Amino acid sequence: MKTIIKKPHLFFFSIVPIFIIVGFIKRNEIIDVALYDTLFAVKVHYWCYFSAAFSGIIGLNYYLIHWLQKPLVQILSLFHVIFQIAAIVPFIFCIFFINEKRSYNYDSFLNGVDLYSVLSTSFLLFLVSFLLHLLNFFISLISKK
């Protein structure tokens, strides 16, 4: 865990292939996103590829800080990684079980679980994680060595 806190770019570069693999596996699945009265149907692999690209950019930001030999605020790095993991786990869970919920299989253990609420919570955790990353990144760039 100390390695992840000191070098978080390794963590973010390692989750990029996970998102790409999940995107290939669940290529034909669709997530319906409801915004007010409009329903958007978005394929899962677009979300996965966007997540992979975004994780890669965050990894590049942390690598830039490492390359410039600027100190990171370790508590912010820790919370960023924790919130990112807390956002990724329900996201992957929902992606693998979204089709089962849409087919209304009542014998499933997912009976009663609203996957779209889980996805919304995952997105909010991701936003908090992103804000922590921005704060950590700019504090590290501004701080003196």
Side-chain angles (χ1 to χ4, degrees):
M1 190 65 170
K2 288 184 179 182
T3 304
I4 292 175
I5 295 170
K6 290 183 181 180
K7 297 180 181 179
H9 60 276
L10 298 176
F11 170 73
F12 287 98
F13 287 145
S14 66
I15 62 175
V16 169
I18 293 171
F19 282 122
I20 292 173
I21 290 169
V22 170
F24 280 134
I25 292 172
K26 297 302 231 174
R27 177 174 290 277
N28 295 325
E29 300 300 324
I30 294 173
I31 296 176
D32 296 325
V33 180
L35 294 174
Y36 298 106
D37 292 332
T38 307
L39 191 67
F40 297 99
V42 181
K43 287 198 170 193
V44 167
H45 68 95
Y46 292 129
W47 289 102
C48 290
Y49 299 153
F50 174 77
S51 299
F54 204 78
S55 297
I57 290 170
I58 290 173
L60 284 174
N61 285 346
Y62 276 127
Y63 183 74
L64 175 70
I65 295 293
H66 177 72
W67 181 67
L68 292 174
Q69 297 177 349
K70 296 280 190 170
L72 287 170
V73 180
Q74 291 187 355
I75 193 74
L76 287 176
S77 296
L78 174 68
F79 281 122
H80 179 218
V81 170
I82 288 171
F83 275 101
Q84 192 69 35
I85 291 171
I88 289 172
V89 170
F91 177 73
I92 299 292
F93 175 81
C94 286
I95 286 176
F96 277 109
F97 292 106
I98 198 84
N99 192 30
E100 185 174 338
K101 182 66 177 175
R102 289 177 80 195
S103 65
Y104 300 108
N105 184 0
Y106 291 108
D107 296 332
S108 163
F109 71 95
L110 292 175
N111 192 19
V113 175
D114 184 13
L115 293 180
Y116 298 107
S117 295
V118 174
L119 278 175
S120 299
T121 305
S122 174
F123 181 72
L124 289 175
L125 288 170
F126 171 75
L127 284 179
V128 170
S129 169
F130 178 69
L131 292 175
L132 288 172
H133 165 68
L134 284 179
L135 184 65
N136 195 9
F137 181 72
F138 286 120
I139 287 173
S140 297
L141 281 180
I142 293 171
S143 70
K144 294 181 181 177
K145 194 171 183 182

